[in-house]
Amino acid sequence: MPEIFRFFGFSFFFYSREHEPIHVHVEGASGYAVFDYNGENFILREKHGIKANDMKRILQVIDENKDIIVSRWEQYFDK
């Protein structure tokens, strides 16, 4: 499970046997979420147990680092 980075107690990662579209999993003590990449931005697909203030931080981290997330996915899956 390649971890991309950690922020605010949340791990941002993808699994080693993933599927398209590009997406990122986010998991922490309070829950988890999955965001799909639409070619321009990451869009929330599912969320469980993450508080609203944590979700704001997560969205900010994803938005500020979307190029890194996409690059790591492409490097890992040789795209």
Side-chain angles (χ1 to χ4, degrees):
M1 164 174 80
E3 184 175 64
I4 304 166
F5 41 69
R6 286 183 178 265
F7 283 105
F8 310 115
F10 286 92
S11 175
F12 295 71
F13 65 95
F14 52 85
Y15 291 101
S16 59
R17 293 186 178 184
E18 282 289 19
H19 55 83
E20 298 286 338
I22 294 172
H23 59 280
V24 63
H25 297 260
V26 180
E27 189 171 308
S30 64
Y32 72 92
V34 180
F35 297 84
D36 290 333
Y37 186 63
N38 68 6
E40 191 172 318
N41 294 300
F42 280 89
I43 308 298
L44 179 64
R45 180 194 332 156
E46 91 184 80
K47 172 185 94 152
H48 298 281
I50 297 178
K51 299 172 187 172
N53 61 337
D54 287 334
M55 185 57 72
K56 287 180 187 177
R57 290 182 194 166
I58 290 167
L59 289 168
Q60 181 179 2
V61 168
I62 289 174
D63 186 52
E64 291 175 357
N65 295 283
K66 63 184 170 187
D67 293 340
I68 293 170
I69 297 168
V70 170
S71 175
R72 288 286 305 273
W73 176 286
E74 291 174 341
Q75 286 174 345
Y76 189 84
F77 293 107
D78 198 28
K79 299 284 181 180

